[in-house]
Amino acid sequence: MILFETGASVFEVMWDVALAYFVIRISFVYYIVTFLSSYLIALIPKSIYFSRNVLYPSSFTANLLTIALISQFLISYYKIPRFASFRLGIGLMAMCFMVVTEICTSTSMHKQGWSYKQWYAESLNLTKEALRLLIFTAMPTIWILGESLWDEARKLQKSGSVKKNITVPVVAEL
């Protein structure tokens, strides 16, 4: 198909541009909200005095919970369809934003006199960071499994094959 020869080719190009715009916009919102909330979570143990008797979740666990909650909120807010390629595209674009931020931060810290060894010693170890970035990238796609299980539970509930209990009004409202 020759570009701009027919109306269909123009429509396809416009559709591709619109999809790219939506993916970039949603992934930037996903990145910025997750980045800011993870930054705030990292500041909590440093700003509040915790005695040895008080248990608090590690920042890694809190970051994973934050990633899961933010991705689920954005999926429901933007009504992102259940296409794995679309959601993976959002995650990959958000990962690109996160990697660029990490590179800029490490370069800035290096120019201020920090060595790369000091910078990584101050942050989490590299394995945890890579795992967190991988989960951050895949979380919108992972929610497809949870949503399909949730839909199956709703279908079973509506068909009456599940015994009613106290959670029925709560599940029916959701």
Side-chain angles (χ1 to χ4, degrees):
M1 187 179 329
I2 299 174
L3 188 64
F4 302 123
E5 185 174 292
T6 64
S9 65
V10 172
F11 182 74
E12 284 183 28
V13 169
M14 290 176 65
W15 182 253
D16 291 341
V17 168
L19 279 177
Y21 170 73
F22 288 127
V23 166
I24 291 171
R25 186 182 72 176
I26 293 170
S27 64
F28 184 73
V29 170
Y30 178 46
Y31 151 74
I32 200 72
V33 172
T34 305
F35 178 75
L36 291 176
S37 56
S38 296
Y39 180 72
L40 291 174
I41 288 171
L43 289 179
I44 289 173
K46 295 177 183 175
S47 64
I48 300 173
Y49 173 76
F50 286 106
S51 68
R52 294 178 192 260
N53 297 333
V54 177
L55 296 176
Y56 60 96
S58 70
S59 62
F60 182 74
T61 307
N63 277 334
L64 293 184
L65 183 62
T66 303
I67 289 168
L69 291 175
I70 289 171
S71 64
Q72 180 57 38
F73 173 74
L74 289 177
I75 287 169
S76 64
Y77 182 77
Y78 286 111
K79 295 176 180 53
I80 300 172
R82 288 186 196 165
F83 294 112
S85 59
F86 190 71
R87 289 191 182 182
L88 191 60
I90 291 171
L92 287 172
M93 193 68 201
M95 181 196 66
C96 290
F97 289 135
M98 192 69 79
V99 167
V100 167
T101 302
E102 190 70 29
I103 290 170
C104 291
T105 304
S106 63
T107 303
S108 170
M109 297 299 280
H110 184 68
K111 286 183 180 180
Q112 291 180 4
W114 286 58
S115 69
Y116 290 114
K117 289 179 184 178
Q118 289 173 327
W119 168 245
Y120 287 117
E122 288 290 321
S123 65
L124 294 173
N125 66 21
L126 200 54
T127 307
K128 280 188 179 179
E129 281 296 315
L131 182 63
R132 186 184 63 81
L133 192 61
L134 180 69
I135 291 172
F136 172 73
T137 303
M139 188 56 72
T141 310
I142 292 170
W143 276 112
I144 292 174
L145 298 172
E147 291 167 354
S148 62
L149 291 174
W150 187 257
D151 286 345
E152 290 297 321
R154 281 188 185 168
K155 286 179 187 176
L156 288 174
Q157 187 112 30
K158 287 182 180 178
S159 68
S161 61
V162 175
K163 190 182 276 185
K164 294 193 175 195
N165 57 19
I166 196 162
T167 61
V168 170
V170 175
V171 173
E173 288 295 319
L174 295 175

